[in-house]
Amino acid sequence: MPRHVAVVMDGNGRWANQRGLARTKGHEAGEAALLDVVAGAIEVGVTHLSAYAFSTENWKRSPDEVRFLMGFNRDVIRRRRDQLHAWGVRMRWVGRRPRLWGSVIKELETAQEMTQHNTGLTLYFCVNYGGRAEIGDAVQRIAEDVARGRLTARSVDERTVARYLPEPDMPDVDLFVRSSGEQRTSNFLLWQSAYAEMVFQDRLWPDYDRRDLWAAVESYVDRERRYGGAVDAPGAPGTPAG
């Protein structure tokens, strides 16, 4: 089973456009999909789930849509935190503070504090998040500590970078899922997804539910993970007998 599943919740706008609705209606419809996926992840034993709620690139959208998404993310967290808390979910916010509405930060931090002692699924809300930005920020902090003499340049390695990420205890992503048929990572959890198995599904996010997550998990389970290694097939030339 995958320990950590990352989900790009894509297709809200297209779902709404197909129905002649405003894009915001697609985002609203996607709320129930997220809750069902969280429930499905708990049911099959996934311990960490990351949801891409708002990227650092989403600021390029129209001012009206950005305002809606800010308020919507704030309200979803406020509406659902008691339910998630009752499920034993530990909520964590991953993302940058600059530009993010203060009211959104307040709700995220309240949810974190409320659920910090829960021992069930850890749900990462990735709001104002970008993978390159995250790595760049970590490198900047490392450079500052080298300049202060807290680190030596020669001691910096992959483990050092991982420690300076905003969530250093976040496990690597095992399964990376994207809805809507698009086949790209869109700058999501780049460092953590170095060896993730990718599953791209055609379902638009508002139509997505736990059964789609389970199908992605089944695909993951059927794959052989080698982490750069190689295994000869039985009977191949040079394979030891026995």
Side-chain angles (χ1 to χ4, degrees):
M1 287 296 296
R3 180 185 181 195
H4 183 185
V5 178
V7 180
V8 179
M9 305 178 290
D10 194 24
N12 295 323
R14 273 170 283 169
W15 183 91
N17 290 338
Q18 289 174 3
R19 290 159 177 76
L21 303 172
R23 288 175 56 85
T24 55
K25 295 299 181 182
H27 296 302
E28 291 175 353
E31 179 181 346
L34 175 59
L35 265 290
D36 198 66
V37 165
V38 171
I42 294 170
E43 193 169 347
V44 296
V46 172
T47 58
H48 296 74
L49 181 71
S50 295
Y52 207 6
F54 189 90
S55 78
T56 50
E57 287 74 36
N58 286 156
W59 294 105
K60 300 175 185 176
R61 297 189 178 184
S62 71
D64 286 344
E65 187 171 1
V66 168
R67 279 193 295 272
F68 171 82
L69 288 171
M70 286 291 102
F72 181 65
N73 278 301
R74 175 196 63 208
D75 296 344
V76 166
I77 297 159
R78 182 188 298 152
R79 271 196 303 270
R80 299 297 187 173
R81 67 186 176 211
D82 289 341
Q83 181 178 1
L84 292 168
H85 185 38
W87 289 355
V89 172
R90 184 173 72 106
M91 299 169 64
R92 300 291 299 167
W93 166 41
V94 185
R96 281 178 155 183
R97 283 180 174 270
R99 300 184 71 180
L100 196 56
W101 285 11
S103 58
V104 179
I105 293 173
K106 179 182 177 182
E107 295 300 334
L108 287 163
E109 290 182 336
T110 299
Q112 283 192 150
E113 183 177 358
M114 173 188 291
T115 63
Q116 62 182 320
H117 299 300
N118 289 346
T119 57
L121 173 80
T122 296
L123 175 61
Y124 299 103
F125 272 109
C126 299
V127 183
N128 199 23
Y129 174 86
R132 286 183 172 181
E134 175 181 67
I135 296 168
D137 291 345
V139 171
Q140 182 180 40
R141 289 192 291 272
I142 290 170
E144 290 170 350
D145 279 354
V146 169
R148 296 185 183 112
R150 296 175 180 171
L151 285 174
T152 62
R154 295 178 66 87
S155 70
V156 176
D157 56 16
E158 291 182 16
R159 289 174 295 180
T160 311
V161 176
R163 287 200 310 271
Y164 279 76
L165 295 174
E167 282 289 321
D169 295 329
M170 177 190 286
D172 284 346
V173 174
D174 299 302
L175 173 60
F176 187 107
V177 177
R178 181 172 187 144
S179 63
S180 87
E182 299 293 346
Q183 299 187 19
R184 55 180 178 270
T185 62
S186 292
N187 198 26
F188 188 42
L189 296 176
L190 299 179
W191 181 273
Q192 298 86 346
S193 298
Y195 279 99
E197 295 293 328
M198 304 288 181
V199 175
F200 301 106
Q201 296 167 294
D202 291 334
R203 183 114 40 217
L204 299 177
W205 182 252
D207 293 328
Y208 201 95
D209 62 28
R210 69 185 72 188
R211 293 168 296 181
D212 298 294
L213 174 68
W214 293 344
V217 169
E218 287 179 2
S219 177
Y220 170 90
V221 170
D222 288 340
R223 300 182 187 184
E224 182 178 356
R225 309 192 77 201
R226 299 178 180 174
Y227 298 97
V231 178
D232 290 326
T239 303

